């Protein structure tokens, strides 16, 4: 075994670590692309205290990475070194208070939107159109159809990569388009959202509209990781999909990797050989868009790991 594996084994054996710990774990099981490298050490904590303990005991030079549901993630073939943390069922509670909705970071976005509908809570309808978990949604300020997480976010309980508790409050300073600068190198544990009672029929109608639009305009039941590139916000008045179509990239297909015939900004993967090939395909689309339109696209999909 290598040094990091030995270190983690020692911590687990000498302390009350009951969460799932696996070595050389195949992450393709988690990536929505269906292909990925391996995790050197994969860990699903049983509790916040256990997670904090392990992080505090782990040598500071060991890499820490947090992943969610893998819905907007590409993991290179070389895998991810160090400790890879995924929050599981222990972080999936939803609680209603007088003016708050407190949500565990591992709760799927769609589950929260349906829960809020059942309690006539408005403002969460857009989450029905976003695959992924609440922790990931906050970390990237996820949004669609004119709404973003920052619109309802109030605060989040987090810990840093060394096990220290951190409380963050809403601030426009750290939320931007598909980004949350404050949560970098933090593990989001639970989130408090603003609670506002609305009209159940209007909430239902809005969720149905969003779901209908998704079915009509986005690929379904294929291996994709959602929107590939961010919409430019400063150097173009066109969306990413429009720029891709203008560049003539729509029909490009390489090694069973292509763009969706429903939406040009969705990469569809039909092979199980290499995640690196997906990244290379995306980079070729970026190059063609830049050459033909003068606009440089930025990845919205999060890319992790080593190439080799």
């Amino acid at each position: 075994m290598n040094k990091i594996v030995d270190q983690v084994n020692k911590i687990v054996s000498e302390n009350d670590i009951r969460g799932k710990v696996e070595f050389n774990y195949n992450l393709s099981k988690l990536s929505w692309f269906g292909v990925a490298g391996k995790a050197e050490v994969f860990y699903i904590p049983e509790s916040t205290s256990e997670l904090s303990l392990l992080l505090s005991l782990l040598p500071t030079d060991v890499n820490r990475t947090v992943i969610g549901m893998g819905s907007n993630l590409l993991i290179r073939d070389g895998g991810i070194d160090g400790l890879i943390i995924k929050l599981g069922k222990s972080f999936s509670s939803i609680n209603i208070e007088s003016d708050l909705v407190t949500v565990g970071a591992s709760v799927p976005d769609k589950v929260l939107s349906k829960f809020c509908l059942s309690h006539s809570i408005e403002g969460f309808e857009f989450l029905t159109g976003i695959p992924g978990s609440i922790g990931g949604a906050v970390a990237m300020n996820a949004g669609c159809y004119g709404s973003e997480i920052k619109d309802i976010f109030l605060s989040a309980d987090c810990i840093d990569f060394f096990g220290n508790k951190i409380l963050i409050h809403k601030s426009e300073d750290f939320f931007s388009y598909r980004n949350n600068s404050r949560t970098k190198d933090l593990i989001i544990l639970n989130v408090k959202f603003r609670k506002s009672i609305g009209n159940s029929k209007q909430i239902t109608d809005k969720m149905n509209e969003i779901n209908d639009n998704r079915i009509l305009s986005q690929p379904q039941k294929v291996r994709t990781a959602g929107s590939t590139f961010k919409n430019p916000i400063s150097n173009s008045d066109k969306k990413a999909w429009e720029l891709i179509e203008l560049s003539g990239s729509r029909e490009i297909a390489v090694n069973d990797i292509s763009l969706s015939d429903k939406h040009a900004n969705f990469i569809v993967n039909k092979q199980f050989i290499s995640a690196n090939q997906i990244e290379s395909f995306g980079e070729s689309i970026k190059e063609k868009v830049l050459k033909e339109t003068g606009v440089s696209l930025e990845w919205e999909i999060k890319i992790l790991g080593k190439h080799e």
Side-chain angles (χ1 to χ4, degrees), residues 17 19 22 26 37 46 97 105 139 153 160 173 191-192 197 212 224 237 244 248 263 269 275 287 289 297 306:
I17 305 296
E22 294 197 27
N26 190 343
E46 189 174 87
E97 301 172 43
F153 175 87
D160 64 20
D173 294 338
V191 185
K192 288 182 170 55
I197 300 299
D212 290 345
T224 186
D237 60 352
I244 292 169
H263 197 304
N269 177 50
E287 290 173 8
V289 169
L297 293 177
K306 303 176 295 184

Side-chain angles (χ1 to χ4, degrees), residues 145-185:
Y145 301 102
S147 297
E148 295 176 305
I149 279 289
K150 72 178 182 65
D151 301 332
I152 52 176
F153 175 87
L154 291 177
S155 66
D157 291 313
C158 311
I159 56 175
D160 64 20
F161 282 175
F162 307 101
N164 302 301
K165 293 182 179 180
I166 306 288
L167 175 63
I168 61 173
H169 294 280
K170 181 172 183 177
S171 169
E172 295 297 330
D173 294 338
F174 57 77
F175 278 118
S176 58
Y177 174 67
R178 300 299 178 267
N179 186 55
N180 182 345
S181 61
R182 183 65 183 88
T183 56
K184 184 180 180 181
D185 297 335

Side-chain angles (χ1 to χ4, degrees), residues 231-260:
N231 291 322
I233 56 176
S234 59
N235 57 349
S236 175
D237 60 352
K238 297 186 182 301
K239 294 185 177 181
W241 71 265
E242 294 176 296
L243 292 165
I244 292 169
E245 292 198 341
L246 282 172
S247 73
S249 302
R250 187 63 178 267
E251 304 305 319
I252 296 175
V254 180
N255 298 328
D256 284 329
I257 305 167
S258 62
L259 296 173
S260 166

Side-chain angles (χ1 to χ4, degrees), residues 206-247:
K206 188 170 182 179
M207 288 174 64
N208 288 339
E209 181 183 1
I210 289 171
N211 281 321
D212 290 345
N213 285 337
R214 285 188 70 248
I215 292 171
L216 287 172
S217 64
Q218 298 178 13
Q220 308 292 316
K221 298 179 180 180
V222 296
R223 292 195 299 276
T224 186
S227 295
T228 304
F229 304 109
K230 297 178 182 180
N231 291 322
I233 56 176
S234 59
N235 57 349
S236 175
D237 60 352
K238 297 186 182 301
K239 294 185 177 181
W241 71 265
E242 294 176 296
L243 292 165
I244 292 169
E245 292 198 341
L246 282 172
S247 73

Side-chain angles (χ1 to χ4, degrees), residues 54-114:
L54 190 148
L55 290 170
S56 69
L57 296 174
L58 197 66
T60 57
D61 61 344
V62 174
N63 181 57
R64 281 98 154 144
T65 304
V66 183
I67 62 174
M69 290 178 63
S71 59
N72 197 231
L73 187 64
L74 190 154
I75 301 169
R76 294 172 175 140
D77 297 342
I80 307 175
D81 288 339
L83 180 71
I84 292 77
I85 302 158
K86 177 178 171 59
L87 301 185
K89 293 181 180 179
S90 300
F91 300 84
S92 62
S93 63
I94 306 176
N95 297 297
I96 299 176
E97 301 172 43
S98 58
D99 58 349
L100 298 173
V101 181
T102 303
V103 186
S106 69
V107 173
D109 300 334
K110 290 184 178 182
V111 169
L112 178 57
S113 67
K114 290 179 181 178

Side-chain angles (χ1 to χ4, degrees), residues 286-302:
K286 286 179 61 180
E287 290 173 8
K288 190 165 179 60
V289 169
L290 179 60
K291 179 181 178 181
E292 299 297 331
T293 71
V295 178
S296 180
L297 293 177
E298 180 182 349
W299 284 92
E300 182 169 329
I301 291 173
K302 188 175 182 181

